[in-house]
Amino acid sequence: MPNVQSKRLPAPRDWWVYEPLPVVDGIAALTGLPTDAETRGRAALAVKIDNSPSARPQWNLADADVVFEENVEGITRFIAFYQTNQPDRIGPVRSARTGDLDVLAGMNRPILAWSGGNPGVSDAVWQAHYDGWLADLSAQRSNCFFRSRRRNAPHNLLVVPACARDSATFAGPARIPFSFSDDPSALQVAGATAATTATVAMDGVTTKWTFDSTTGRYLRSQNGQPHVDVDGDRVSADNVVVMTVEYVKSAADQRSPEPITVGEGPVVVYRDGLAISGRWSRLDRYSAYVVVAGDGTEIKLSTGKTFVQLSR
């Protein structure tokens, strides 16, 4: 039974709208790389991380396996997913948005670490927990969070991952969000062109990715400066996926933009120094993302870390 943490929810029940799928065999679901059984069985720990100027540098954003960057009110925030790495602290943790729920539901009942939100968002998250889409770990009701003295509130709230995993026994094992392949044939896709840099304009921040041929990774910069975390680690990714999505007004707050991540739209995938244009699609909130080139060939990601930007 789930650990329902709010008195505003109905009594727990013995069935849910969504039942988690089993552990992915042989590989870490979020990276596609071989790993041990303990890591494979871990849930995806999803942390809502601030990206306002006062929140930079972040704590251990560079350790995430998958990151989704979304536009919020004039700036961006991250949904950072952790499975293979478990740093001692992550943050700064901020509030969720209703648009997060469709992204989270596809991760097989992940743990959501968030600071809290307005009544509409809170109700939506609690309902998602009740329906089995996610395991709600709110700072309003959990002792897995603390505030750093190095920074002023609200940009100093941190979550302890080990505590989060011990507390959220309701969570399911992480599932694969995209198809992975390191086979050379995966690079022989229609429309693939050499691209060692990529610039993506998001709300309040311009990001640039630069391909490092030595490591095979893309290095992230924000507004002309290298994007590093508190420890000085550069935010990087083996794959950068720029998904063009529609943003609508959230029902919980008309000022809040909500990305639509179920349906389809244009996409550009950057991997191995190549840019591959195509379309993304997703049947429902529980499904993985399918990415295809112009000729219908599936675009597969390189194994490793993935950074997804939800561009307007």
Side-chain angles (χ1 to χ4, degrees), residues 31 48 56 89 94 111 158-159 187 189 214 266:
T31 65
K48 282 304 302 288
R56 305 169 190 162
R89 61 195 67 187
R94 292 301 301 273
I111 305 164
L158 305 178
V159 65
L187 302 178
V189 180
T214 302

Side-chain angles (χ1 to χ4, degrees), residues 33 43 87 95 108 110 159 164 225 229 292 295:
L33 293 169
S95 59
N108 205 42
V159 65
Q225 299 296 320
D229 63 16
V292 298
D295 64 353

Side-chain angles (χ1 to χ4, degrees), residues 64-298:
D65 293 318
V66 176
V67 179
F68 280 75
E69 183 176 19
E70 61 183 354
N71 296 312
V72 287
E73 297 81 15
I75 193 63
T76 65
R77 285 189 183 169
F78 306 114
I79 314 173
F81 293 91
Y82 299 78
Q83 182 191 22
T84 65
N85 295 319
Q86 185 160 290
D88 61 344
R89 61 195 67 187
I90 300 169
V93 183
R94 292 301 301 273
S95 59
R97 296 291 187 273
T98 53
D100 301 341
L101 299 180
D102 281 346
V103 175
L104 293 162
M107 293 294 189
N108 205 42
R109 199 183 286 170
I111 305 164
L112 172 60
W114 61 305
S115 64
N118 67 41
V121 173
S122 296
D123 286 344
V125 173
W126 290 329
Q127 186 63 52
H129 175 100
Y130 181 64
D131 287 339
W133 301 359
L134 56 82
D136 175 18
L137 191 81
S138 168
Q140 304 299 313
R141 297 177 297 281
S142 171
N143 62 1
C144 293
F145 298 80
F146 70 98
R147 291 197 179 275
S148 170
R149 296 181 180 179
R150 298 177 58 177
R151 206 172 290 172
N152 294 327
H155 310 292
N156 63 347
L157 182 65
L158 305 178
V159 65
V160 179
C163 178
R165 293 192 182 281
D166 289 343
S167 300
T169 57
F170 172 54
R175 294 294 295 185
I176 299 172
F178 296 92
S179 293
F180 297 104
S181 177
D182 286 334
D183 191 293
S185 64
L187 302 178
Q188 299 171 6
V189 180
T193 58
T196 55
T197 63
T199 300
V200 184
M202 302 289 288
D203 288 4
V205 62
T206 296
T207 65
K208 183 177 180 179
W209 297 90
T210 303
F211 182 66
D212 180 1
S213 58
T214 302
T215 63
R217 284 187 170 176
Y218 292 85
L219 308 179
R220 179 177 161 105
S221 299
Q222 293 193 137
N223 296 336
Q225 299 296 320
H227 189 176
V228 296
D229 63 16
V230 166
D231 297 327
D233 295 328
R234 185 77 174 265
V235 176
S236 64
D238 298 277
N239 308 284
V240 178
V241 181
V242 182
M243 290 174 49
T244 300
V245 302
E246 179 184 4
Y247 278 84
V248 299
K249 293 180 179 180
S250 169
D253 185 347
Q254 292 292 292
R255 300 167 300 174
S256 179
E258 179 176 314
I260 304 301
T261 56
V262 174
E264 63 176 336
V267 69
V268 182
V269 173
Y270 297 89
R271 59 161 294 183
D272 297 285
L274 298 175
I276 311 170
S277 297
R279 294 190 69 80
W280 67 268
S281 65
R282 194 171 177 223
L283 292 175
D284 55 45
R285 62 172 56 94
Y286 309 117
S287 299
Y289 297 86
V290 177
V291 186
V292 298
D295 64 353
T297 303
E298 185 176 14

Side-chain angles (χ1 to χ4, degrees), residues 23-41:
V23 175
V24 174
D25 186 36
I27 61 171
L30 299 188
T31 65
L33 293 169
T35 191
D36 58 87
E38 178 184 355
T39 302
R40 294 198 303 272

